[in-house]
């Protein structure tokens, strides 16, 4: 939830970066289509509310990385604004939802195959437009993530590259699915450094 994401803010705020934590309705209240729509609307709202900012950088972990990746595939013509997305840091994400259909996780999500397919970033990669080529995407995965997380991160990063996006793949040693993101509160952590190298913005 957005309430649990504030720990990552201090190192970024200390460097002059404004941080917004986005919330959404989780399952079973939230359906996958609704979750993606809520996050896209949040980005549109931020872009309209803070039109003077020098760019937006997305960061998400696990399900959050999935939603941030779906933002990258958005057709903004439906939202009346085009957020200036300069970069994305996607950490231990889920980029193909179809394997979830066969697990207990789908008992709560209740996704059909069609819902899973249209909300799978791996299947929704759009060719990089002129703006997208200037967008730096970091796809990070933990050494001790499950083989499925590692496979999906590799395949999604390769799919973005094939579509013309600028992508860096980070395979972080000595961390698992949880401490790869929990360590963002540490100033010296590699992903924190990635964030601090970004120009002051949102």
């Amino acid at each position: 939830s957005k309430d649990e994401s504030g720990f990552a803010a201090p190192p970024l705020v200390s460097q002059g970066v404004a941080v917004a934590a986005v919330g959404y309705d989780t399952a079973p209240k939230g359906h996958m289509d609704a979750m993606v729509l809520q996050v896209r609307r949040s980005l549109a709202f931020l872009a309209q509310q803070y039109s003077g900012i020098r760019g937006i950088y997305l960061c998400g972990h696990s399900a959050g990385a999935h939603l941030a990746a779906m933002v990258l595939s958005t057709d903004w013509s439906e939202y009346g604004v085009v957020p200036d997305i300069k970069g994305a840091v996607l950490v231990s994400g889920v980029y193909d939802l179809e394997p979830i259909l066969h697990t207990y996780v789908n008992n709560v999500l209740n996704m059909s195959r069609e819902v899973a397919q249209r909300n799978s970033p791996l299947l929704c990669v759009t060719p990089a437009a002129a703006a997208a080529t200037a967008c730096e995407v970091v796809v990070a995965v933990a050494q001790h993530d499950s083989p499925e997380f590692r496979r999906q991160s590799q395949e999604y990063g390769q799919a973005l590259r094939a579509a013309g996006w600028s992508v860096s793949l980070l395979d972080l040693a000595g961390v698992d699915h949880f401490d790869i993101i929990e360590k963002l509160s540490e100033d010296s952590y590699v992903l924190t450094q990635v964030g601090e190298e970004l120009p002051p913005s949102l």
Side-chain angles (χ1 to χ4, degrees), residues 25-191:
D25 290 331
T26 57
K29 180 181 178 184
H31 188 266
M32 188 57 67
D33 288 327
M35 294 181 210
V36 171
L37 180 61
Q38 286 175 343
V39 173
R40 286 171 167 166
R41 283 180 173 167
S42 295
L43 263 290
F45 170 81
L46 287 170
Q48 290 167 331
Q49 193 76 6
Y50 303 100
S51 56
I53 60 175
R54 285 179 277 171
I56 293 174
Y57 293 83
L58 310 173
C59 180
H61 168 249
S62 198
H66 161 261
L67 291 170
M70 288 300 294
V71 168
L72 293 179
S73 69
T74 304
D75 176 1
W76 292 108
S77 64
E78 303 173 23
Y79 295 84
V81 64
V82 180
D84 185 14
I85 299 174
K86 299 286 193 185
V89 181
L90 309 176
V91 184
S92 293
V94 181
Y95 308 109
D96 180 3
L97 300 185
E98 286 199 66
I100 293 175
L101 296 174
H102 314 294
T103 71
Y104 73 92
V105 175
N106 201 41
N107 295 344
V108 180
L109 290 170
N110 198 29
M111 289 187 297
S112 66
R113 184 168 302 281
E114 292 72 25
V115 169
Q117 288 176 341
R118 71 171 167 259
N119 290 292
S120 288
L122 191 58
L123 304 178
C124 300
V125 173
T126 55
T133 55
C135 174
E136 296 284 336
V137 181
V138 175
V139 180
V141 66
Q143 177 186 359
H144 302 300
D145 259 321
S146 73
E148 182 66 9
F149 277 106
R150 293 178 59 79
R151 178 190 71 80
Q152 290 201 17
S153 294
Q154 186 77 22
E155 290 187 6
Y156 180 61
Q158 289 171 347
L160 285 175
R161 275 188 187 153
W165 292 73
S166 176
V167 180
S168 299
L169 285 164
L170 287 185
D171 194 335
L172 301 185
V175 290
D176 62 27
H177 188 72
F178 299 101
D179 54 13
I180 190 174
I181 198 71
E182 290 167 354
K183 288 165 72 72
L184 272 181
S185 60
E186 300 174 11
D187 290 330
S188 60
Y189 182 48
V190 60
L191 286 183

